[in-house]
Amino acid sequence: MAVKFTLADGFRLWLEVTPKWVRVKGGRRGEMTRTGAPYSDASRANALSAASSFFGFLDKISDDGVKNPFDAVQRPYLDPDYSSTPGYTEQEWAKLLVTARDEHHIAAYRQRTYAMLLVLYTCCLRIDALLNARVEDLSEDRGHRVLLLGKVKGGGRAKRPIPPAAWDALQRYLDSRTTGWLFCTASGGQLDEPAVWRTLQAVAARANLPKRGPHGTKVDAITHALAKPNARPDKVQRWADHKDSRTTQRYNARKELLDDSPGYALGADVAGALARIED
């Protein structure tokens, strides 16, 4: 039986071989070129899922219905228990924070970077939620310092409590400022995500830690919270804004794959046996 090749298949193949856009070193602000590595499995899966969702939307609003050409397109397999993001221990996080506060190569941005990292980590925020927050979104509720996040389902706004250490760092950075973007550029403009990526990678390099992006901050926050004595997964789930409890549990599974690996006990036994033979 002949298999019909569709434009959806062509899009899948295009994603597999087309280089990513990357910034031009020394180029104009925002100048990009397609010289990066091909898209990763996760990026391709996201793109194909978005395209499929679009056709699903068309099918719902169309009187005659629209066949989804992406239903038959093979997508990359993604292991839910695998993450390419390098995880930091709590001790490494302390080192990262101290480096941001005391050693960041641009001294004028040290307070901003230190406060930003603390708020991201202790409030378990997505980077877009943080960058869209304004100083006016800071408030108090029953003795808690809180950050009002963007609108959620139903039109309300979620509240995220800010721990004292993060609040103190934030107030030192704001220096009595009461309006504008919570984290802004030197001219008062909205800080963008690429700038945060560059900042976090620069601080990580100075701290001799693996480089990664802002999402790694949320990953670490959830992993560390789940590892606390008497941790409540249901509370961590709400704190992390996970709709499905299985998403939260994956962080535990990823950690257990490393911490509880039978290979450690096996390796210790082998080392002991080798030591006895050598003696």
Side-chain angles (χ1 to χ4, degrees):
M1 181 180 68
V3 177
K4 186 177 180 180
F5 185 82
T6 67
L7 286 176
D9 290 303
F11 181 55
R12 173 184 63 82
L13 293 173
W14 180 83
L15 288 173
E16 291 180 0
V17 299
T18 302
K20 291 194 297 286
W21 289 101
V22 295
R23 294 178 64 249
V24 177
K25 292 185 177 180
R28 301 184 304 276
R29 181 178 178 83
E31 185 177 358
M32 308 286 285
T33 182
R34 279 198 180 277
T35 57
Y39 291 89
S40 66
D41 287 351
S43 294
R44 299 201 315 275
N46 287 337
L48 293 171
S49 177
S52 179
S53 297
F54 173 71
F55 278 96
F57 169 74
L58 291 181
D59 182 46
K60 288 183 178 180
I61 64 173
S62 173
D63 293 334
D64 301 324
V66 175
K67 182 174 177 59
N68 188 344
F70 287 89
D71 281 345
V73 172
Q74 184 177 5
R75 302 183 190 181
Y77 170 74
L78 301 178
D79 185 347
D81 292 329
Y82 171 76
S83 173
S84 60
T85 303
Y88 289 169
T89 65
E90 292 187 63
Q91 292 75 18
E92 288 174 328
W93 250 100
K95 183 178 181 181
L96 185 75
L97 288 167
V98 169
T99 302
R101 185 191 64 193
D102 301 337
E103 302 177 28
H104 186 34
H105 69 289
I106 304 178
Y109 295 156
R110 286 176 183 173
Q111 286 190 341
R112 184 185 73 182
T113 304
Y114 179 59
M116 181 172 62
L117 283 172
L118 268 174
V119 172
L120 268 176
Y121 178 68
T122 62
C123 295
C124 196
L125 295 179
R126 292 176 58 91
I127 185 60
D128 57 340
L130 185 75
L131 296 182
N132 286 315
R134 299 183 63 86
V135 182
E136 295 90 333
D137 296 328
L138 297 174
S139 182
E140 292 190 26
D141 187 353
R142 291 173 292 178
H144 298 278
R145 310 284 191 178
V146 299
L147 174 64
L148 301 177
L149 302 178
K151 289 184 178 181
V152 296
K153 187 176 181 181
R157 301 186 70 184
K159 295 179 181 179
R160 192 61 55 86
I162 305 176
W167 179 262
D168 291 343
L170 185 58
Q171 293 307 305
R172 285 195 295 272
Y173 159 64
L174 292 175
D175 192 24
S176 300
R177 180 163 61 87
T178 57
T179 61
W181 299 109
L182 187 60
F183 291 97
C184 62
T185 64
S187 61
Q190 186 179 22
L191 197 65
D192 60 22
E193 189 169 339
V196 177
W197 272 78
R198 293 192 296 271
T199 297
L200 295 188
Q201 293 196 0
V203 174
R206 188 167 287 266
N208 294 317
L209 293 172
K211 296 180 181 179
R212 81 276 188 70
H215 183 63
T217 299
K218 184 170 184 175
V219 171
D220 288 343
I222 297 170
T223 303
H224 297 165
L226 288 169
K228 296 297 181 185
N230 302 318
R232 286 273 302 274
D234 58 326
K235 290 185 177 181
V236 176
Q237 178 188 345
R238 291 194 297 270
W239 179 61
D241 289 329
H242 289 160
K243 294 181 180 180
D244 192 330
S245 62
R246 289 174 295 183
T247 303
T248 311
Q249 290 298 339
R250 287 195 188 108
Y251 289 85
N252 255 346
R254 291 171 185 169
K255 184 175 183 296
E256 289 169 359
L257 285 173
L258 300 176
D259 292 348
D260 298 335
S261 171
Y264 284 121
L266 189 64
D269 289 343
V270 169
L274 289 172
R276 288 192 294 273
I277 292 173
E278 291 172 356
D279 290 342

